[in-house]
Amino acid sequence: MSEQFEPNLVAFVCNWCTYAGADLAGTSRIQYPPNLSVIRVMCTGRINPLFVLNALQQGADGVLVSGCHPGDCHYMEGNYYARRRFTLMKDLLEYVGVDPKRFHMSWVSASEGAKWKEVVETTVNEAKEVGPFEQFQRNKINW
Amino acid sequence: MADLEKLRAVAKETVSRDDVKYLIGWRQGTYGFRVSPHFITEPEEADKLIFSPLCSNNLATYLTLVEKLPVPRGQEPDTRKIALMVKGCDSRAVVQQLVEQGIKRESVIIIGCPCQGVVDLAKVEEKFPAVLEQVEARWDDGKIVFKLSEGEKAVPREEVLADKCLRCRYPNPVTADTLLWEKVEAESNDEYADVGELEGKAPEERWSFWEAYFSSCIRCYSCRNVCPMCYCEDCILDRLNPTWVNRSNNISENTAFHLARAFHLAGRCIECGECERVCPVNIPLMKLNRKLTKEVREKFEYEPGTDPDSKPLQASYRPNDQENFIL
Amino acid sequence: MDNMKLAKEKVGDFLAKLGKERFRVPQETGGSSRFAPLNGESSVDFTLSNTTVPLKSLFYPQTETLYRYEVGETAMKAPGEADEMIIMGVRPCDAKALTIVDRLFSWDPKDPYYLGRREKATIIGLACQEPRVNCFCTSLGGGPASTEGLDILMTDLGESFLFQPLTEKGEKICQEAGDVLVKSEDSDVQAAEKVHKDAASKIVRKIDSEGIPEKLPQLWDSQIWKKTSEPCLGCGACTFLCPTCHCFDIQDEIEGLEGRRYRVWDSCMFKEYTLHTSGHNPRPTRRERTRNRINHKYSYFVDKFGVIACVGCGRCINLCPVNVDILNILSQVKEAL
Amino acid sequence: MNNKPKIGVYVCHCGMNIAKTVDVEAVSEFASRLPYVKVARNYSYMCSDPGQQLIKEDIKNEGLTRVVVASCSPRMHENTFRKTLAAAGLNPYYLEMANIREHCSWVHENREEATAKAKKLVYAAVAKVRLLEPLEEKEVEVEPSALIVGGGIAGIQAALDIAAAGFKVYMVEKTPSVGGKMSQLDKTFPTLDCSACILTPKMVDVASHPNIELMTYSQVEDITGYVGNFNVKVRKKARYVDINKCTGCGACAQECRLAGTIPSEFNMGLGKRAAIYLPFPQAVPAKYTIDKERCLFLTRGKCGKGPKCIEACAAGAINFEQQDEIVEFKVGTIIIATGYELFDPAKKPEYGYADYDNVITGLELERLVAASGPTGGEIVIGKGEKAIVPKEVAFISCVGSRDESVGKPYCSRVCCMYSAKLAHLVTEKLPDANVRIYYMDVRAFGKGYEEFYDRVRREGVRYIRGNPSEIFKRGDKLVIKAEDTLAGRTLEDEVDLVVLATGLEPRQDAREIIDILKLSQSADGFYLEAHPKLAPVDTATDGVYLAGCAQGPKDIPDTVAQAKGAASSALILLSSGKVKVQAQISNINEATCRGCGYCVEICPFGAIDLVEVNRMGNIVQVARVNEALCKGCGACAAGCFSGSAQQKSFKDQQILPQIAVLGAMK
Amino acid sequence: MKENPYQPYVATIEDTWYETVGDRAVKTFKVTLDDPEARKNWSHRPGQCAMVGRLGIGESMFCISCSPTEGDFLRFSVMRAGKNTQGLHEQEVGDKITVRGPYGNSFPLEDWKGKHILTIGGGIGQAPLRPIVEYVKANLDQYAGLTMIYGARTSGDLCFRNEFEEMMKRDDISCHLTIDIEEEGWPYKVGFVPSVLMEVNPSPENTIAITCGPPIMIRFVLENLKKLNFADEQIYTTLENRMKCGFGKCGRCNAGNLYVCKDGPVFSYSTLKNVPEAFA
Ligand SMILES: Cc1cc2nc3c(=O)[nH]c(=O)nc-3n(C[C@H](O)[C@H](O)[C@H](O)COP(=O)(O)OP(=O)(O)OC[C@H]3O[C@@H](n4cnc5c(N)ncnc54)[C@H](O)[C@@H]3O)c2cc1C
Ligand SMILES: Cc1cc2nc3c(=O)[nH]c(=O)nc-3n(C[C@H](O)[C@H](O)[C@H](O)COP(=O)(O)OP(=O)(O)OC[C@H]3O[C@@H](n4cnc5c(N)ncnc54)[C@H](O)[C@@H]3O)c2cc1C
Ligand code: SF4
Ligand code: SF4
Ligand code: SF4
Ligand code: SF4
Ligand code: SF4
Ligand code: SF4
């Protein structure tokens, strides 16, 4: 059992704040675990909450959604809509028994390279804690 | 209360109008305690209309379920009004449809039936199994009286009413063009005890609870089709391009179907309970929907279908919406 | 072969003797019931009336992989042979329904998936004692103790079950069971006959199907279809859960690097079912779809296969949320000139 | 046509920046085996000329139709490579970048892990790029004119600047005269210039400038269109006076049966006017207006034997038949300068504004001290016999500012200073008077403000730190109950006059403009700027700018500065004559749209409208995107349940394959 | 046919080209089955269809638009309409697709020997008619003649245009091309197919008319054929109801009691006129 479980995580982030924040982490050579891969969209407002379900179905052990702090949205309101949507999606997932450690949302601004690292670490560590996601992953289905 | 004569008279008058296409109400079903939606175009058909504790169907569904046939060239589309009988919960569906601009207010005539609660068929059929003859029912002072061949049977309402009615806070139509009789008093409150009970369980228990149900879903789409708020012409949940949910029936696709459906109804579900009622494999869908209604009410102070001037929950926000879960 | 008897306390032994893994029995999951493998130690509850999901799901599962492949490759691998099954506690109408569906699946070309399972299954029926309000099997040549499609008919005699083997397969099972089964007395058979008769007398809903197949085509433009379909929701409850409905869709699905082509139940009540890619739909509303459902069962199928594709199980009546009642439609058809 | 896509994948070494941690060789080898990939290469610097040349050549020689560049952040070089594609004749939006530097080689050390992640990111990009669609970058022409809503100092300044640059300006002012609040002020802090003296010439310029078309007593009814091409509809309300004929002589007002009976708005109700009136002597245009709510003839159909004004008017300008007139015109840009309103002190009943005549507001005092005011500049309270000249005068600041209890948590930014100014004017006019100011803090942040505050204190105005809790009458006097928080004692202060420094608040009718232009409001209710620091005069709607107190409380210097800023933004647009439209915008599939209007509500830019379309003979409602307004945030796409709204380049069908790859590759 | 009727053959695309362009472009594929054994055993007749697909995307029904007389290959002309057809359009020479079939009945070309053959097609509806044309062309001596009427909305929507233009040069075949509306440089007829039919005015004498195209066109062509005194038995058409299996199991293709996949797709009008759903 020497092999430690390495979770596979998918993040949806906005172009203007979090993506830029993650870029800053890069330019600052801040190191963080490689388990999380980013899908870039222009605004958190674009992130359809059903993406989270889909990512879990398709093999993600956890999902992160991240964007600009309230009031900082490049499009003014996108993150406010996202906040509502993901509040509900989070509640729903938790309610059916999906561990809340598998879904996170964060505000990471373009200047918060260090925060990005923290967020990634939290997301990765929590996913490690709860192990591989099996509840409704597609490849767990015996065809 | 439930003055059938008045109801039929109003219906007659309404369908006689030139600008009315048809009226939808309820009629006794073909057997037992069943009731069926009744579409009438001729005044004489109004004589079959009923309003009783058996009338669970939310007829607002039919406002959006109409399949529009192509109108031949040169012909005008039929834009006459549709008249609809509504209970309290049904009227909330109409209001929410209005909020979403799914229907236009001037295209419907709403006939309001203040309601003392409708029965849960499962509860009734357990008490009176194997009844073939058509049974009438009425409200009588805290009791529901069934007219069976062996005589009238009165049952305390708590024993047979649908759960949604036992906690109903909107027994009176929120909006109506005509109110058929006096309003009734609402239950005091809804504490979401059913949801709370499940929330109190461990995550694994919650999952095994839902897993059993989700895996038994046959994806007949009854729940979606009956829902007055699910009026997409082309629901993304059975669309193939792009595919959100595969057609195959298994725990993965079924769960995705259920969570997506529930999510699409967040802030829109008006708790008419129809989805749960129609599910042929008895999935407690309201337990899922109500989790979100509860959160919506607690976190966003929003109650769908109660205010025609409100903005849809998922199409609005407040800058200070709570966000304690955000990192 | 002789009729046999299984004492109720020996049901466990019977299962063990024949091998638990071979059995499929009625089971409740969530809020509904269906035939499923015995799970673990649980014994069988034969008091469940007809399962929500009909027997067909064992032979013709809702989702069935036709073949698998690797993404980018062209080799296709069909699933292996079907498992042997002993299905116990089947209600006669469901078994009869199989004989109806058999005709379709063995129509040229034969369906290897369905027929493969059919061949390897033995069906032990259980005569109904308490028919439900909407059962009308007797109107369609069936009955609470009908034997069509069964290998063994089992009747509940209180303390024990009477086993009446009907086919070679059935006899083989009885032999395999060895002394778990005992020979029955003549009185048992008489008792069973009484049970059967009593049950048949409890069936109240009826329809005289005589002449319906011929009449239906003449009622093509009848108001019946408009009126009876008005409340219909266009869902799949009546068809998915009908033991004789058999329509399906074929789709591809990819997961990671593996793909499969599978079939999955489809329903003629769905609007997409006949939708042409051009947007044209030959059955544009629920009226045409309801008409097709009834016609298919009571006319087209009769034309093609000589039987009505309905066994009178009453599921579609019980489960329709808006009381679209096939008997009501049929009686209107009868009445129409 | 959807031929089989041919993808080229280019993995950049970025010198050693990527190659050190990521096995670029392995990544490009991996990429070469991915579906639809025709070529996969790695190269030291993809962004260099030879790097770009590589891509261009492959596009030409290999017939590539899609390109993935795995290198640094798209925020860095997306444009570079888009241009590369375009130069090779490929649509620039057929590009997808995989960020294997900032998101990979720079943040991970383990070569194996970093290489594995880079492969994943490349695969995801390949999965998406295959489904990208060609997009068009459009430009629209800009109508060379501007609309300015509101004729206060903000609007006036902006109008003059734009007109001076040679563009046509339409100015719409709701009241009969331009000038706004500034015209009501006596002197202005901190320099104490006479407000009318500096404002009036500008008002006159506005009216006479050949490039400015002034529409007073007018209202914007509707605005449609988008940046560069707004269609404006203005209602010119009937004045019942032909302004071409009216000479402004005022004979009519003298004859009016209601002369001297109607409280004058300009004088804050302290003076009286007739039903036909000029708001104030310097009003521009100097044309009379009939108050249709009051005029006897218009309200009752009868005015004695006949309207006397008609007789009085030698020019024959009065016309009771006049109707509202709707004018329509096109503009390229819009400036909103609708100003503010003052907090209604009756909402704080403890100050007794509604009860006592000698509790007044700052603006009322402005009118009292003004030489042109109702008292000719004399500070007297009450009338006739009862009139008194106050001796004890108290100012109370922050009335309706910084006060959560009335929902006004913000600072109004001018009250401290105008209190100081008015206190100075009182001491100047009434040297014997004792003046004190109850305050919370004194905010004197502007140029010369602190000095002015010092001067006023030196002049003997007492500053008492503490908020009065109550004001009541005792005999002829008003008693202020307050706590002096510095001295730490409560006091009861008897005075003759209390002046409430009421705060600035958004106009009650602010929604009119919001509904027309779909502007946003900030929490305080003022119009929201696009960015508080970097785009303070812009709004979410392209081509619409803010100036003055419409955006938030400010003093005249700031108002004018902002107006000039707004004018300059508008001029950039007008003088460039063209504006680029976003390419990655949303689009709605009208065949599946259910007309629920969610997207319409959600769109922060008001870019979506519901329209009725004919669907096989049936009229149905569907949403439609105005391409020039959409900024491509995609919020509608995520909020659309039926999946009908989709953002180009970020469609569901383009994102789902990315998810599939990232999910499947462990 | 294979033992497992659901399992397709693998086929390779030999050649492919676009017939028309635009949103609903039609792309023709010429394919051969990979398995030589299968190739040998495969035999189809004009009018039959096959299920063509791509693994991972799905399969759809198409008529085999070539005649066996043309050689040892299959041709499909696929109009882009949705998921599967889009997937097919992405395929190019050398790519693999799946094919199963052939399904359905066929045109009774043997019985028609000695008769004059008249095809009336519209849009992609020419695909099922093409094999007849090819077959009759190859055996022209056995038929009394061949007349073709083919139309599309615009010249860009015409399939098989080159082939038609070749045929127009022959004097033993009568060939009429038409488009709905006037276009610059269009040398042939302008007008809807049913009116061109009247213009061509074919004699019903010893003639078989076969028509295929959009439902609305078929309706008017039938009317006009009646006007031209064609008897019901002289008129044939093919139906294209939605299909999933192709061999009578999946249920959806029925028009009344006819299973289009097994009883059709070729029907004579004398059969169809009694089937109320046939022209729904
Ligand atoms: C008592 C007091 C004293 C002050 N003293 C000073 C001082 O000494 N020095 C100083 O720098 N600042 C002072 N100020 C602040 C000063 O008044 C403002 O900074 C300035 O007036 C702001 O100008 P504006 O053009 O933005 O708004 P406004 O002056 O309010 O002008 C807005 C104009 O727009 C018009 N309008 C509104 N809505 C519409 C519409 N929908 N359509 C058409 N027209 C519309 C209005 O009628 C008005 O004419 C004082 C403020 C107060 C209250
Ligand atoms: C006998 C016959 C011959 C034909 N010949 C030709 C021909 O020669 N050339 C030609 O271009 N076309 C022909 N067609 C039409 C062709 O089959 C269709 O255009 C094609 O199937 C469209 O597939 P699609 O995936 O591109 O379309 P889509 O409409 O996108 O369908 C996507 C897939 O989903 C399925 N689907 C969608 N919704 C549902 C649902 N609710 N339930 C079940 N399945 C669903 C579809 O069947 C299909 O498999 C023929 C059809 C028939 C029946
Ligand atoms: S009604 Fe029940 S079985 Fe049908 S789709 Fe809904 S949950 Fe599933
Ligand atoms: S989700 Fe269920 S309870 Fe809610 S509105 Fe729809 S049918 Fe009614
Ligand atoms: S589930 Fe969603 S997409 Fe489907 S009908 Fe309901 S709201 Fe529309
Ligand atoms: S008849 Fe009833 S069960 Fe069948 S589709 Fe209609 S509503 Fe559903
Ligand atoms: S049609 Fe109804 S009654 Fe007949 S077999 Fe099917 S479900 Fe049973
Ligand atoms: S949200 Fe979607 S369905 Fe609703 S109006 Fe907008 S595009 Fe149409």
Side-chain angles (χ1 to χ4, degrees), chain D residues 148-156 172-190 192-193 195 215 218-220 337-342 361-364 366 414-415 417-419 421-422 449 502-504 507 509-510 512-513 527 547-560 562:
Chain D
I148 293 180
V149 188
I153 178 61
I156 291 171
V172 178
E173 163 60 46
K174 215 171 199 173
T175 66
S177 168
V178 295
K181 289 281 185 310
M182 188 175 166
S183 63
Q184 289 173 279
L185 307 180
D186 179 39
K187 302 234 160 56
T188 56
F189 62 74
L192 298 177
D193 331 57
S195 188
M215 287 169 256
S218 300
Q219 218 166 311
V220 177
T338 50
Y340 65 98
E341 241 164 51
L342 285 167
T361 68
L363 196 56
E364 285 164 13
E366 292 275 0
V414 292
C415 323
M417 290 315 292
Y418 80 61
S419 301
K421 170 187 76 180
L422 290 167
Y449 289 10
T502 49
L504 277 53
R507 291 181 60 98
D509 58 9
E512 282 172 18
I513 299 290
Y527 298 133
C549 292
Q551 179 259 347
K554 53 182 69 65
D555 53 27
I556 295 166
D558 284 1
T559 296
V560 171
Q562 199 186 23

Side-chain angles (χ1 to χ4, degrees), chain C residues 181-198:
Chain C
L181 296 179
V182 296
K183 277 225 170 81
S184 68
E185 318 286 323
D186 280 353
S187 59
D188 294 327
V189 176
Q190 281 153 16
E193 272 165 12
K194 179 158 185 329
V195 168
H196 299 166
K197 236 165 86 199
D198 284 354

